[in-house]
Amino acid sequence: MTGVTAPGGPDAASGGPDAASGGPDTSGPDTSGPDTSGPDTSATAPDTSAGRHGTAPRRRGRPPRTESADTRDRILEAAREEFSERGYDKTSVRGIAKSAGVDSALVHHYFGTKEQVFEAAVEVAFAPVLKGREAVLDAPLEEVGERMTRMILGLWENPVTRTPLLAIVRSAVNNETAASVFRRLVAGQLLRRIAGQLDLPDAELRAELAAAQLVGIAMIRYVIKVEPLASAGIEQIIKRVAPVVQGHLTGR
């Protein structure tokens, strides 16, 4: 077996002078000059591949603990904006990550799938409803309709809470996955709690009819912007709508 010893022969193992060529070196002295290529920094140099198109590279991997809360909030804010502008179908995890200035892996790390990102964004946007829910539930039964009307329409009147609500409604209207998330949150966290206060055999239906009344008004006034409802005074609307909502909840 003499034809297979060149790669692993004695000189190759020992690093002898003939190891690379298999014979004596006849190339003469090395005239290539000193090595000016500099040390190999490939193992320590930062990864700038994300910025090769002229944009700053997005941060990869998990952030330090001190940055975690800020990063999570930034992702949620970007998600609400993306869902509001594009709707559920046209929003992607990659788009949310780009808007937040992070890598897609961080979005998955904090929230998981796009559906889970949407649910987290809905929960944050819906937080004022859950806080105001107690004021509705603690009211005397004859005042529940007005309090519920003021709470829901008040959230739509506030520009800060209106934007995330728009994201929720637009996405839920156009996508069944988003609608399922919305139903689960609204039914579980709000309507069933209100129905529990009514102590009537058709309490859940009553609560849903009341909610439908308010969601319909919100759609026409704030999303579709049909006049004169779009520009009517909020107190005028509440005065007319609250008795209808009360009728859904407690009327005979």
Side-chain angles (χ1 to χ4, degrees):
M1 300 287 291
T2 59
V4 296
T5 56
D11 285 338
S14 63
D18 296 336
S21 63
D25 182 5
T26 59
S27 62
D30 182 5
T31 60
S32 62
D35 182 5
T36 60
S37 62
D40 181 8
T41 60
S42 61
T44 58
D47 179 11
T48 59
S49 60
R52 62 180 179 271
H53 297 298
T55 58
R58 293 193 296 273
R59 184 172 297 173
R60 297 180 178 275
R62 295 186 181 185
R65 288 185 179 181
T66 55
E67 298 181 16
S68 295
D70 178 67
T71 301
R72 191 178 189 279
D73 290 344
R74 195 163 72 249
I75 292 171
L76 275 180
E77 183 178 354
R80 288 196 298 271
E81 291 176 358
E82 290 289 306
F83 285 123
S84 178
E85 292 177 6
R86 304 175 184 277
Y88 186 89
D89 287 333
K90 294 182 179 180
T91 297
S92 66
V93 170
R94 181 175 296 181
I96 293 170
K98 183 178 180 181
S99 179
V102 300
D103 190 78
S104 299
L106 272 183
V107 180
H108 289 298
H109 165 67
Y110 283 116
F111 301 104
T113 64
K114 184 173 80 168
E115 179 181 349
Q116 291 169 315
V117 179
F118 180 76
E119 186 162 7
V122 169
E123 287 177 352
V124 171
F126 209 65
V129 176
L130 301 183
K131 290 179 181 178
R133 175 189 63 188
E134 300 306 321
V136 174
L137 296 175
D138 291 342
L141 196 58
E142 65 272 12
E143 297 179 12
V144 170
E146 181 177 350
R147 292 206 185 186
M148 186 175 177
T149 302
R150 286 190 177 277
M151 178 187 69
I152 299 298
L153 296 185
L155 292 173
W156 282 97
E157 282 292 299
N158 186 342
V160 175
T161 49
R162 184 189 307 151
T163 297
L165 286 172
L166 283 171
I168 296 168
V169 170
R170 285 172 177 164
S171 296
V173 166
N174 295 316
N175 182 274
E176 177 55 32
T177 300
S180 176
V181 171
F182 186 48
R183 282 196 302 268
R184 185 164 64 246
L185 187 62
V186 172
Q189 299 293 334
L190 181 63
L191 298 184
R192 286 175 188 163
R193 293 287 303 277
I194 292 175
Q197 297 292 102
L198 300 180
D199 194 25
L200 294 168
D202 57 348
E204 287 195 17
L205 176 61
R206 289 172 174 270
E208 288 176 6
L209 287 171
Q213 184 83 42
L214 294 172
V215 171
I217 291 170
M219 286 287 292
I220 295 173
R221 176 175 170 85
Y222 303 101
V223 180
I224 306 174
K225 299 181 180 179
V226 176
E227 295 291 354
L229 181 59
S231 57
I234 187 62
E235 286 300 323
Q236 180 185 2
I237 295 172
I238 291 173
K239 183 178 180 180
R240 290 183 175 274
V241 173
V244 179
V245 173
Q246 184 72 39
H248 286 311
L249 294 172
T250 60
R252 299 298 176 183

